[in-house]
Amino acid sequence: MPRVSDRQRIAQDIRDKIASGEYGPGAKLPTLREMIAQYGVSAEPVRSALLILQAEGLVEGHQGKGVFVADRS
């Protein structure tokens, strides 16, 4: 089985939490610092994962405020 990169693993975990409703529309995601601690990685894979999710339209970054689940209505 190919090894899943940290950024793919983190992106999938956040996707799962959005799909399950743990992170609902408009919910603020944990801070970068919290996610670094949660996933046991450096800042880079967390940032990469968030960029992937932004490109997919699942989350929206707001400068200085954080990253939020996109409202998909």
Side-chain angles (χ1 to χ4, degrees):
M1 235 172 101
R3 187 180 171 280
V4 177
S5 71
D6 284 332
R7 74 167 185 229
Q8 288 170 313
R9 174 175 63 90
I10 294 164
Q12 189 56 54
D13 187 59
I14 295 170
R15 268 188 215 106
D16 292 344
K17 287 178 174 171
I18 292 170
S20 74
E22 186 176 332
Y23 295 158
K28 186 177 191 292
L29 296 189
T31 64
L32 183 64
R33 185 172 288 152
E34 287 166 345
M35 284 198 255
I36 289 167
Q38 181 182 342
Y39 295 109
V41 296
S42 66
E44 197 43 52
V46 175
R47 284 198 189 100
S48 295
L50 292 174
L51 286 173
I52 293 168
L53 296 170
Q54 278 182 311
E56 292 171 359
L58 288 174
V59 301
E60 298 169 345
H62 296 282
Q63 193 65 44
K65 290 192 181 127
V67 180
F68 297 83
V69 178
D71 192 347
R72 296 167 76 73
S73 55

